[in-house]
Amino acid sequence: MKYIASYLLLALGGNTSPSAADLTSLLATVDITADEAEVEKVLSELNGKDINELIAAGSAKLASVPSGGGSAAPAAAAGGAAPAAAAAEEKKEEKAEEKEESDDDMGFGLFD
């Protein structure tokens, strides 16, 4: 990741085709010893490609990745079933909380 970040920093700074020496010297400014194999791999993968196009393509791929909140969409789509599902979920949480509270009565305490 640090190699890609340094490549992007150099590209944003105006160097449209950073070399291995450019990446190595940038990483050295923050006391990172560059692995030449990793530097060459990054350069070979990004050589001749437009950074803006790569970022746009990556953003499009990330848009299709689920990112949590999966239960909210089905509940909203269900319409009338959403309040019932929410009430059932609250009951489950209450039962779990009651169980946790009963664990406190085990006959000993932390500071006893």
Side-chain angles (χ1 to χ4, degrees):
M1 195 68 167
K2 58 189 166 193
Y3 302 105
I4 295 171
S6 61
Y7 187 94
L8 289 172
L9 282 172
L10 289 167
L12 289 172
N15 187 349
T16 57
S17 182
S19 66
D22 294 332
L23 288 174
T24 304
S25 65
L26 178 62
L27 291 169
T29 62
V30 290
D31 294 328
I32 296 175
T33 304
D35 179 11
E36 293 300 320
E38 292 291 326
V39 170
E40 290 301 323
K41 182 177 180 180
V42 167
L43 291 175
S44 67
E45 292 290 327
L46 299 176
N47 190 22
K49 297 179 181 174
D50 181 33
I51 296 299
N52 294 321
E53 290 176 9
L54 291 173
I55 291 173
S59 296
K61 288 180 182 178
L62 285 175
S64 66
V65 175
S67 59
S71 64
E89 217 172 287
E90 286 178 18
K91 288 181 183 178
K92 288 180 185 177
E93 288 177 12
E94 287 176 13
K95 288 180 183 177
E97 288 176 12
E98 289 174 10
K99 184 176 181 181
E100 288 175 9
E101 290 173 5
S102 67
D103 290 344
D104 292 338
D105 300 326
M106 295 177 70
F108 61 92
L110 182 62
F111 299 106
D112 289 343

